[in-house]
């Protein structure tokens, strides 16, 4: 006798699956029974190291696709015909965007438009999530940024993300697509590359504790950020596409901490006084930077029933623990 019919699993396509958020999102969706597909520029050449670190390298179907090439985007979407598409691809470093402004802008706006056009061209009933950023807001001076806060980006990265945000809104309104953007504030994990300041601080402090170095050089310590934990933020992305209507959401902890406070807590984890080891160098400052960036996640709390569980002190503790395990040949991603 035949058994009960199984419901066909939902299919998700993740552009940028090899990055921090892409890898955690892939794991999150696989744990919920999704069939997960992901892309890189050349799947044969990409190591997909983050997927391997999370133990899911062989569980996602991988494809080659170049986000700025419309034909490439159409072909992979037509092949997969996903229920959900997540656009997490593109150059993700704010600092690097000053050195690569054209590539950063082309990837942000061109890639997003290509996905939207592909969904429209193929007439798919696909839900689309676009990774936007707190960088769209620039400084959140007197109150936390929310969905109604005007944009004032202060980097090529922020400019590109702001343009892509409005492209998504336009396609949603003009063509009725289920398309939304997540305005995510800073979110960290052991999968962050070493060039990010959070990893630079953690690895620098560990080197000093192990007597491999004596000092750590940073830029402005007075900047303040809203730091959360990346695995929690990908849950918010999924909830946005599971919501009954397409809306944009700020995803944040709602807490503001200075980089100096972050540094102090990291060094304390190693039993060190940061003031004895940290130097500043004006050469590390960006041409323009954000002094204060904090979000108001109230809408996500009300409508998505999502709330950050890990704020800055917890982020520090997890990053330090993961770094020490990495140095002992273990992995804690």
């Amino acid at each position: 006798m035949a058994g009960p019919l199984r419901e066909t699993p939902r299919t998700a396509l993740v552009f940028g699956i090899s990055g921090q958020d892409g890898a955690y999102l892939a794991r999150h969706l696989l744990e919920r029974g999704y069939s997960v597909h992901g892309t890189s520029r050349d799947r044969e050449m990409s190591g997909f190291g983050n997927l391997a670190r999370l133990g899911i390298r062989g569980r996602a179907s991988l494809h080659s696709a170049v986000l700025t090439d419309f034909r490439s985007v159409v072909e992979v979407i037509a092949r997969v015909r996903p229920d959900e598409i997540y656009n997490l691809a593109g150059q993700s470093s704010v600092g690097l965007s000053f050195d690569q402004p054209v590539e950063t802008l082309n990837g942000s706006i061109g890639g997003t438009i290509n996905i939207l056009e592909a969904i429209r061209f193929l007439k798919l009933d696909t839900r689309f999530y676009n990774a936007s950023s707190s960088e769209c807001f620039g400084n959140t001076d007197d109150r936390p940024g929310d969905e109604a806060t005007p944009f004032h980006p202060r980097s090529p990265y922020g400019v590109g993300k702001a343009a892509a945000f409005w492209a998504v809104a336009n396609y949603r309104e003009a063509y009725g697509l289920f398309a939304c953007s997540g305005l995510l504030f800073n979110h960290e994990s052991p999968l962050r590359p070493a060039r990010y300041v959070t990893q630079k601080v953690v690895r620098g402090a560990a080197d000093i504790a192990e007597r491999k170095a004596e000092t750590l050089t940073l830029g402005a310590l007075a900047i303040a950020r809203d730091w959360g934990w990346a695995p929690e933020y990908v849950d918010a992305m999924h909830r946005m596409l599971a919501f009954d209507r397409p809306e944009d959401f700020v995803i944040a902890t709602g807490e503001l901490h200075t980089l100096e406070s972050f540094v102090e807590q990291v060094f304390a984890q190693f039993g060190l006084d940061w003031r004895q080891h940290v130097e500043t160098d004006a050469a590390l400052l960006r041409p323009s930077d954000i002094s204060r960036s904090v979000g108001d996640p109230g809408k996500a709390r009300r409508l998505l029933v999502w709330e950050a569980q890990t704020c800055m002190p917890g982020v520090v503790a997890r990053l330090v623990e993961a770094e020490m395990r990495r140095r002992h040949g273990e992995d804690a991603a």
Side-chain angles (χ1 to χ4, degrees), residues 271-286:
L272 299 170
D273 181 351
W274 71 274
R275 290 167 294 189
Q276 297 179 8
H277 302 283
V278 175
E279 301 175 348
T280 58
D281 184 349
L284 297 178
L285 300 178
R286 296 168 183 167

Side-chain angles (χ1 to χ4, degrees), residues 239-255:
R239 289 175 186 240
M240 287 183 216
L241 294 197
F243 195 52
D244 58 8
R245 60 187 182 273
E247 295 200 19
D248 306 316
F249 290 89
V250 164
I251 304 300
T253 70
E255 293 189 5

Side-chain angles (χ1 to χ4, degrees), residues 14-58:
V14 182
F15 287 94
I17 196 170
S18 60
Q20 169 191 265
D21 290 4
Y24 281 121
L25 176 63
R27 183 177 69 177
H28 181 84
L29 296 174
L30 286 166
E31 289 173 348
R32 282 149 185 80
Y34 274 67
S35 173
V36 176
H37 296 251
T39 73
S40 72
R41 296 182 68 90
D42 185 344
R43 67 174 182 177
E44 302 302 327
M45 296 296 293
S46 297
F48 296 101
N50 285 338
L51 299 183
R53 288 184 67 180
L54 297 183
I56 59 172
R57 173 65 175 82

Side-chain angles (χ1 to χ4, degrees), residues 36-324:
V36 176
H37 296 251
T39 73
S40 72
R41 296 182 68 90
D42 185 344
R43 67 174 182 177
E44 302 302 327
M45 296 296 293
S46 297
F48 296 101
N50 285 338
L51 299 183
R53 288 184 67 180
L54 297 183
I56 59 172
R57 173 65 175 82
R59 297 178 59 194
S61 300
L62 302 173
H63 308 265
S64 298
V66 179
L67 205 54
T68 52
D69 181 343
F70 180 66
R71 178 177 176 178
S72 175
V73 171
V74 168
E75 286 181 347
V76 72
I77 293 176
R79 188 181 313 129
V80 176
R81 303 190 73 82
D83 300 293
E84 300 171 6
I85 295 176
Y86 296 84
N87 178 22
L88 311 181
Q91 199 285 103
S92 60
S93 169
V94 175
L96 190 58
S97 77
F98 284 99
D99 297 325
Q100 302 175 359
V102 175
E103 180 179 349
T104 300
L105 288 165
N106 286 345
S108 292
I109 183 62
T112 303
I113 289 287
N114 281 342
I115 296 173
L116 291 164
E117 273 292 286
I119 295 172
R120 191 170 75 92
F121 175 75
L122 295 169
K123 297 181 172 58
L124 297 179
D125 185 20
T126 298
R127 297 190 170 198
F128 174 59
Y129 170 85
N130 175 59
S132 195
S133 171
S134 60
E135 291 286 326
C136 294
F137 297 124
N139 284 306
T140 56
D141 294 316
D142 53 351
R143 69 182 185 90
D146 62 21
E147 293 78 9
T149 301
F151 287 174
H152 187 170
R154 293 176 58 81
S155 67
Y157 176 84
V159 170
K161 287 296 185 180
F165 174 94
W166 289 118
V168 171
N170 177 246
Y171 272 73
R172 181 172 63 227
E173 296 167 3
Y175 305 114
L177 299 188
F178 193 112
C180 58
S181 293
L183 292 152
L184 274 59
F185 280 70
N186 294 60
H187 48 291
E188 311 301 323
S189 81
L191 299 186
R192 275 286 195 217
R195 68 173 176 268
Y196 284 79
V197 69
T198 48
Q199 285 291 354
K200 182 177 180 180
V201 171
V202 170
R203 296 186 184 196
D207 284 343
I208 292 169
E210 294 177 356
R211 301 184 185 278
K212 296 177 181 177
E214 295 183 358
T215 59
L216 172 65
T217 305
L218 299 170
L221 294 176
I223 63 168
R225 296 291 186 266
D226 182 330
W227 278 294
W229 189 241
E232 296 173 7
Y233 283 41
V234 300
D235 175 43
M237 300 176 191
H238 182 220
R239 289 175 186 240
M240 287 183 216
L241 294 197
F243 195 52
D244 58 8
R245 60 187 182 273
E247 295 200 19
D248 306 316
F249 290 89
V250 164
I251 304 300
T253 70
E255 293 189 5
L256 186 69
H257 299 273
T258 63
L259 179 58
E260 180 178 303
S261 177
F262 184 95
V263 170
E264 179 182 13
Q265 294 202 28
V266 169
F267 274 75
Q269 291 275 324
F270 292 97
L272 299 170
D273 181 351
W274 71 274
R275 290 167 294 189
Q276 297 179 8
H277 302 283
V278 175
E279 301 175 348
T280 58
D281 184 349
L284 297 178
L285 300 178
R286 296 168 183 167
S288 60
D289 204 351
I290 296 171
S291 59
R292 175 188 172 96
S293 177
V294 60
D296 177 357
K299 181 180 176 182
R301 188 183 305 118
R302 293 190 307 273
L303 299 185
L304 301 180
V305 197
W306 179 91
E307 188 169 9
Q309 302 300 309
T310 308
C311 296
M312 191 273 277
V315 170
V316 166
R318 290 186 176 203
L319 290 178
V320 170
E321 178 187 7
E323 177 61 16
M324 296 314 298

